[in-house]
Amino acid sequence: MAPKGKGKQKGKGSSTKTENRAQEPNCIFKPEIISNILSRLPLKTLLQFRSVCKQWRKLIYKPDFIVTHYRHSSSLQRTDSSMIIIQSRHDGRFNHNVLVQYKPPLPPVQVKNPYPIVFPKMSIAGPVNGILCIFQPPLGDALTLWNPAMNKSKMVMLSKTTNPSQKVSVGLAFDSQKKDLLILKIFCVPPFPGCTKTKVEFEIREMKYPLGWEKLKSRTNYFYIDKPSCDAIFKAEPYWLAYDYEEYIPGKYQRLVHFEVSKMDFEWWILPFIGVGDYYANLANFEDSLGFMVWTKTENSYIDVWEVDDKKFQWRKKCKIGPLSGFDRILGCLRNGEIVAENEEGVLLFYTVNKSELAVQNDENLYPCSVKNTLTVGNSEKGSHVIFDCPEGLLLIEGMVTVDPQDVLKWQSILSTNEDFIRQL
């Protein structure tokens, strides 16, 4: 005779197994195969699949899966059209800075962003794993992390370092070991006639670290950075073009400053010698390498692309691109290889590089290029455009909230009643 209650316990266990089986998706594939398939889906489709079952929803929010999905998303957009965020300055008391999302062949669409519409100045660093950092120059305040694909944002606590004589440059990085987003700040005192060397200060904010901003000690202490955000982000690490402090000539950069996540330290390299005369320079992620792009502005301009071997710290000239005509300034390079420029009327020009028509000229690889399409952002000021090539990412920071449309009437009320706030603008 069975012990009393044993049959009841057996039935109870059987009911639990049946319930668990009902919650599992009816799938013949192994979990790692499912993970591999899901990680290659577009973000919008992936978010819809969260409701398929609890296992898929849990998987989609795992840190390892988020990193893998972003890597696949970035790879896809090297050959496909990228999602581009275009920043432009507009006239008017409100909406000084407008952000537009553009993904050809679709028309551009203005996107909601969390940055206060009354602030007259805006700078952006990023993207890193789908995150952009918006802030107010020159002190790097009102700092806000924003994932445009997920429509989520979070304002970050201000650092304790405040010196009105310093200019702040902001960069983003990602720690792949800790699966954590890092915010970097570099504090520089602008050079002036008769000035002496002034030490550069560094701060870091690890978003999973609860104690806020931390000062970094670095051996790289004397240089000057004139831009409010890093010039490029390559392999989730920021790079800045910088000047030797005592040899400051605007536009004549001498150093490349880099934050290395594995060492949690800044390092610098000497830039390649370009020569004398007037020239322009830019950093870009060009064909999966960090490219230093140099050109002189003529009727038919050619861009020299240098790349660095980050193991040997050596530069070599990779190729020449051109001729480019009809532009006023070059904004940067997209992940799919297109070069974006702006003409004298403020129209954006997208040049496609014809890699299949490679020619050799003076022992250099020459890639011809041509204008693929143009874009006009309505009511924008000429010379105000900045572009950010943004692969979609799932990364969210704890405390992020949904970005809602900003209330203009509320801001008008604040401005009319709060004189202290007005003086801060």
Side-chain angles (χ1 to χ4, degrees), residues 332-362:
C333 183
L334 302 182
R335 298 183 68 84
N336 61 8
E338 294 180 6
I339 295 172
V340 186
E342 181 182 20
N343 67 15
E344 293 183 351
E345 286 74 42
V347 178
L348 299 184
L349 310 173
F350 293 80
Y351 293 87
T352 182
V353 179
N354 302 315
K355 299 176 184 177
S356 61
E357 300 179 19
L358 171 66
V360 178
Q361 187 179 87
N362 298 326

Side-chain angles (χ1 to χ4, degrees), residues 19 64 102 114 126 135 146 163 165 167-168 171 231 281 305 344 350 354 377 381 425:
E19 183 180 343
D64 288 336
Y102 179 52
F135 58 95
W146 176 44
N163 185 345
S165 65
K167 292 182 69 174
V168 178
D231 290 272
V305 181
E344 293 183 351
F350 293 80
N354 302 315
V377 180
E381 292 181 6
L425 298 179

Side-chain angles (χ1 to χ4, degrees), residues 83-88 90 97-103 107-111 113 146 375-378 386 388:
M83 182 184 80
I84 309 162
I85 298 293
I86 303 171
Q87 175 191 353
S88 62
H90 288 212
N97 295 276
V98 172
L99 299 180
V100 173
Q101 177 180 309
Y102 179 52
K103 189 171 183 179
V109 178
Q110 184 174 334
V111 292
N113 73 83
W146 176 44
L375 177 67
T376 301
V377 180
V386 187
F388 303 90

